[in-house]
PDB file of all heavy atoms in Angstrom:
ATOM      1  N   LEU A 699      28.515 -27.810   7.104  1.00 83.00           N
ATOM      2  CA  LEU A 699      28.847 -29.250   7.184  1.00 83.00           C
ATOM      3  C   LEU A 699      28.455 -30.004   5.836  1.00 83.00           C
ATOM      4  O   LEU A 699      29.235 -30.652   5.223  1.00 83.00           O
ATOM      5  CB  LEU A 699      28.232 -29.873   8.363  1.00 83.00           C
ATOM      6  CG  LEU A 699      28.311 -31.471   8.605  1.00 83.00           C
ATOM      7  CD1 LEU A 699      29.825 -31.760   8.732  1.00 83.00           C
ATOM      8  CD2 LEU A 699      27.475 -31.914   9.546  1.00 83.00           C
ATOM      9  N   ALA A 702      30.696 -28.930   3.022  1.00 86.00           N
ATOM     10  CA  ALA A 702      31.992 -29.631   3.128  1.00 86.00           C
ATOM     11  C   ALA A 702      31.950 -31.120   2.614  1.00 86.00           C
ATOM     12  O   ALA A 702      32.699 -31.603   1.871  1.00 86.00           O
ATOM     13  CB  ALA A 702      32.452 -29.760   4.533  1.00 86.00           C
ATOM     14  N   ARG A 703      30.747 -31.831   2.913  1.00 88.00           N
ATOM     15  CA  ARG A 703      30.460 -33.109   2.520  1.00 88.00           C
ATOM     16  C   ARG A 703      30.343 -33.124   0.949  1.00 88.00           C
ATOM     17  O   ARG A 703      30.846 -34.104   0.276  1.00 88.00           O
ATOM     18  CB  ARG A 703      29.246 -33.718   3.176  1.00 88.00           C
ATOM     19  CG  ARG A 703      29.515 -34.162   4.565  1.00 88.00           C
ATOM     20  CD  ARG A 703      28.271 -34.792   5.158  1.00 88.00           C
ATOM     21  NE  ARG A 703      28.360 -35.221   6.545  1.00 88.00           N
ATOM     22  CZ  ARG A 703      27.303 -35.226   7.414  1.00 88.00           C
ATOM     23  NH1 ARG A 703      26.194 -34.897   6.943  1.00 88.00           N
ATOM     24  NH2 ARG A 703      27.561 -35.563   8.587  1.00 88.00           N
ATOM     25  N   ALA A 706      33.597 -32.805  -0.559  1.00 90.00           N
ATOM     26  CA  ALA A 706      34.332 -34.046  -0.481  1.00 90.00           C
ATOM     27  C   ALA A 706      33.830 -35.123  -1.357  1.00 90.00           C
ATOM     28  O   ALA A 706      34.652 -35.651  -2.055  1.00 90.00           O
ATOM     29  CB  ALA A 706      34.174 -34.659   1.019  1.00 90.00           C
ATOM     30  N   LEU A 739      39.644 -39.669   3.623  1.00 95.00           N
ATOM     31  CA  LEU A 739      38.412 -38.609   3.227  1.00 95.00           C
ATOM     32  C   LEU A 739      37.273 -39.446   3.305  1.00 95.00           C
ATOM     33  O   LEU A 739      36.210 -38.835   3.888  1.00 95.00           O
ATOM     34  CB  LEU A 739      38.690 -38.005   1.807  1.00 95.00           C
ATOM     35  CG  LEU A 739      37.522 -36.933   1.550  1.00 95.00           C
ATOM     36  CD1 LEU A 739      37.360 -35.864   2.576  1.00 95.00           C
ATOM     37  CD2 LEU A 739      37.850 -36.282   0.158  1.00 95.00           C
ATOM     38  N   ALA A 742      36.376 -39.433   6.945  1.00 94.00           N
ATOM     39  CA  ALA A 742      36.073 -38.253   7.543  1.00 94.00           C
ATOM     40  C   ALA A 742      34.619 -37.825   6.963  1.00 94.00           C
ATOM     41  O   ALA A 742      33.837 -37.225   7.676  1.00 94.00           O
ATOM     42  CB  ALA A 742      37.085 -37.221   7.077  1.00 94.00           C
ATOM     43  N   ARG A 743      34.378 -38.063   5.778  1.00 93.00           N
ATOM     44  CA  ARG A 743      33.106 -37.645   5.119  1.00 93.00           C
ATOM     45  C   ARG A 743      31.910 -38.404   5.917  1.00 93.00           C
ATOM     46  O   ARG A 743      30.824 -37.713   5.964  1.00 93.00           O
ATOM     47  CB  ARG A 743      33.090 -38.200   3.753  1.00 93.00           C
ATOM     48  CG  ARG A 743      31.838 -38.501   3.011  1.00 93.00           C
ATOM     49  CD  ARG A 743      31.107 -37.180   2.698  1.00 93.00           C
ATOM     50  NE  ARG A 743      29.913 -37.305   1.933  1.00 93.00           N
ATOM     51  CZ  ARG A 743      28.608 -37.627   2.548  1.00 93.00           C
ATOM     52  NH1 ARG A 743      28.657 -37.886   3.912  1.00 93.00           N
ATOM     53  NH2 ARG A 743      27.486 -37.540   1.791  1.00 93.00           N
ATOM     54  N   GLY A 744      32.025 -39.449   6.448  1.00 90.00           N
ATOM     55  CA  GLY A 744      31.093 -40.153   7.260  1.00 90.00           C
ATOM     56  C   GLY A 744      30.894 -39.437   8.614  1.00 90.00           C
ATOM     57  O   GLY A 744      29.881 -39.589   9.316  1.00 90.00           O
ATOM     58  N   GLY A 745      31.918 -38.576   9.179  1.00 91.00           N
ATOM     59  CA  GLY A 745      31.769 -38.075  10.449  1.00 91.00           C
ATOM     60  C   GLY A 745      31.166 -36.655  10.415  1.00 91.00           C
ATOM     61  O   GLY A 745      30.519 -36.197   9.402  1.00 91.00           O
ATOM     62  N   ASP A 746      31.057 -36.024  11.541  1.00 89.00           N
ATOM     63  CA  ASP A 746      30.303 -34.661  11.651  1.00 89.00           C
ATOM     64  C   ASP A 746      31.131 -33.516  11.762  1.00 89.00           C
ATOM     65  O   ASP A 746      30.669 -32.337  11.919  1.00 89.00           O
ATOM     66  CB  ASP A 746      29.359 -34.792  12.904  1.00 89.00           C
ATOM     67  CG  ASP A 746      28.128 -35.627  12.814  1.00 89.00           C
ATOM     68  OD1 ASP A 746      27.699 -35.879  11.541  1.00 89.00           O
ATOM     69  OD2 ASP A 746      27.572 -36.099  13.815  1.00 89.00           O
ATOM     70  N   ASP A 747      32.544 -33.784  11.708  1.00 91.00           N
ATOM     71  CA  ASP A 747      33.406 -32.670  11.929  1.00 91.00           C
ATOM     72  C   ASP A 747      33.794 -31.922  10.618  1.00 91.00           C
ATOM     73  O   ASP A 747      34.579 -32.601   9.841  1.00 91.00           O
ATOM     74  CB  ASP A 747      34.583 -33.074  12.688  1.00 91.00           C
ATOM     75  CG  ASP A 747      35.414 -31.861  13.121  1.00 91.00           C
ATOM     76  OD1 ASP A 747      35.325 -30.859  12.469  1.00 91.00           O
ATOM     77  OD2 ASP A 747      36.197 -32.026  14.128  1.00 91.00           O
ATOM     78  N   ARG A 748      33.258 -30.885  10.292  1.00 89.00           N
ATOM     79  CA  ARG A 748      33.447 -30.303   8.977  1.00 89.00           C
ATOM     80  C   ARG A 748      34.900 -29.830   8.867  1.00 89.00           C
ATOM     81  O   ARG A 748      35.530 -29.736   7.738  1.00 89.00           O
ATOM     82  CB  ARG A 748      32.422 -29.112   8.650  1.00 89.00           C
ATOM     83  CG  ARG A 748      32.731 -27.793   9.259  1.00 89.00           C
ATOM     84  CD  ARG A 748      31.694 -26.748   8.912  1.00 89.00           C
ATOM     85  NE  ARG A 748      31.611 -25.756   9.981  1.00 89.00           N
ATOM     86  CZ  ARG A 748      32.356 -24.630  10.063  1.00 89.00           C
ATOM     87  NH1 ARG A 748      33.302 -24.451   9.017  1.00 89.00           N
ATOM     88  NH2 ARG A 748      32.305 -23.916  11.070  1.00 89.00           N
ATOM     89  N   HIS A 749      35.522 -29.461   9.865  1.00 92.00           N
ATOM     90  CA  HIS A 749      36.951 -29.023   9.679  1.00 92.00           C
ATOM     91  C   HIS A 749      37.714 -30.199   9.299  1.00 92.00           C
ATOM     92  O   HIS A 749      38.595 -30.057   8.461  1.00 92.00           O
ATOM     93  CB  HIS A 749      37.465 -28.520  11.135  1.00 92.00           C
ATOM     94  CG  HIS A 749      36.741 -27.351  11.444  1.00 92.00           C
ATOM     95  ND1 HIS A 749      36.822 -25.972  10.962  1.00 92.00           N
ATOM     96  CD2 HIS A 749      35.733 -27.099  12.495  1.00 92.00           C
ATOM     97  CE1 HIS A 749      35.872 -25.260  11.407  1.00 92.00           C
ATOM     98  NE2 HIS A 749      35.283 -25.846  12.625  1.00 92.00           N
ATOM     99  N   VAL A 750      37.562 -31.327   9.934  1.00 94.00           N
ATOM    100  CA  VAL A 750      38.378 -32.574   9.480  1.00 94.00           C
ATOM    101  C   VAL A 750      38.137 -32.893   8.011  1.00 94.00           C
ATOM    102  O   VAL A 750      38.869 -33.200   7.274  1.00 94.00           O
ATOM    103  CB  VAL A 750      37.959 -33.821  10.380  1.00 94.00           C
ATOM    104  CG1 VAL A 750      38.668 -35.027   9.870  1.00 94.00           C
ATOM    105  CG2 VAL A 750      38.318 -33.619  11.754  1.00 94.00           C
ATOM    106  N   ILE A 751      36.773 -32.820   7.686  1.00 94.00           N
ATOM    107  CA  ILE A 751      36.400 -33.010   6.220  1.00 94.00           C
ATOM    108  C   ILE A 751      37.213 -32.182   5.236  1.00 94.00           C
ATOM    109  O   ILE A 751      37.808 -32.549   4.269  1.00 94.00           O
ATOM    110  CB  ILE A 751      34.862 -32.978   5.916  1.00 94.00           C
ATOM    111  CG1 ILE A 751      34.124 -33.870   6.904  1.00 94.00           C
ATOM    112  CG2 ILE A 751      34.539 -33.206   4.552  1.00 94.00           C
ATOM    113  CD1 ILE A 751      32.557 -33.707   6.949  1.00 94.00           C
ATOM    114  N   ILE A 752      37.127 -30.766   5.691  1.00 92.00           N
ATOM    115  CA  ILE A 752      37.817 -29.827   4.672  1.00 92.00           C
ATOM    116  C   ILE A 752      39.324 -30.100   4.706  1.00 92.00           C
ATOM    117  O   ILE A 752      39.903 -30.149   3.625  1.00 92.00           O
ATOM    118  CB  ILE A 752      37.559 -28.394   5.327  1.00 92.00           C
ATOM    119  CG1 ILE A 752      36.034 -28.007   5.078  1.00 92.00           C
ATOM    120  CG2 ILE A 752      38.320 -27.369   4.548  1.00 92.00           C
ATOM    121  CD1 ILE A 752      35.647 -26.880   5.875  1.00 92.00           C
ATOM    122  N   GLU A 753      39.958 -30.388   5.818  1.00 94.00           N
ATOM    123  CA  GLU A 753      41.338 -30.660   5.800  1.00 94.00           C
ATOM    124  C   GLU A 753      41.719 -31.951   4.985  1.00 94.00           C
ATOM    125  O   GLU A 753      42.649 -31.964   4.135  1.00 94.00           O
ATOM    126  CB  GLU A 753      41.874 -30.929   7.272  1.00 94.00           C
ATOM    127  CG  GLU A 753      42.222 -29.608   8.070  1.00 94.00           C
ATOM    128  CD  GLU A 753      42.334 -29.956   9.494  1.00 94.00           C
ATOM    129  OE1 GLU A 753      42.564 -31.136   9.978  1.00 94.00           O
ATOM    130  OE2 GLU A 753      41.947 -29.161  10.303  1.00 94.00           O
ATOM    131  N   THR A 754      40.980 -33.024   5.172  1.00 95.00           N
ATOM    132  CA  THR A 754      41.295 -34.132   4.372  1.00 95.00           C
ATOM    133  C   THR A 754      40.926 -34.046   2.985  1.00 95.00           C
ATOM    134  O   THR A 754      41.692 -34.701   2.134  1.00 95.00           O
ATOM    135  CB  THR A 754      40.507 -35.351   4.952  1.00 95.00           C
ATOM    136  OG1 THR A 754      39.275 -35.070   5.346  1.00 95.00           O
ATOM    137  CG2 THR A 754      41.252 -36.170   6.161  1.00 95.00           C
ATOM    138  N   THR A 755      39.973 -33.234   2.637  1.00 94.00           N
ATOM    139  CA  THR A 755      39.667 -32.877   1.233  1.00 94.00           C
ATOM    140  C   THR A 755      40.953 -32.228   0.548  1.00 94.00           C
ATOM    141  O   THR A 755      41.347 -32.620  -0.599  1.00 94.00           O
ATOM    142  CB  THR A 755      38.415 -32.118   1.085  1.00 94.00           C
ATOM    143  OG1 THR A 755      37.351 -32.771   1.724  1.00 94.00           O
ATOM    144  CG2 THR A 755      38.070 -31.850  -0.456  1.00 94.00           C
ATOM    145  N   THR A 756      41.443 -31.183   1.283  1.00 92.00           N
ATOM    146  CA  THR A 756      42.558 -30.437   0.843  1.00 92.00           C
ATOM    147  C   THR A 756      43.743 -31.408   0.741  1.00 92.00           C
ATOM    148  O   THR A 756      44.488 -31.387  -0.379  1.00 92.00           O
ATOM    149  CB  THR A 756      42.929 -29.366   1.877  1.00 92.00           C
ATOM    150  OG1 THR A 756      41.649 -28.659   2.294  1.00 92.00           O
ATOM    151  CG2 THR A 756      43.973 -28.332   1.268  1.00 92.00           C
TER     152      THR A 756
END
Side-chain angles (χ1 to χ4, degrees):
L699 175 63
R703 282 183 182 152
L739 182 56
R743 157 73 178 80
D746 283 341
D747 192 334
R748 77 178 155 90
H749 298 290
V750 176
I751 300 174
I752 292 167
E753 275 163 29
T754 38
T755 305
T756 314

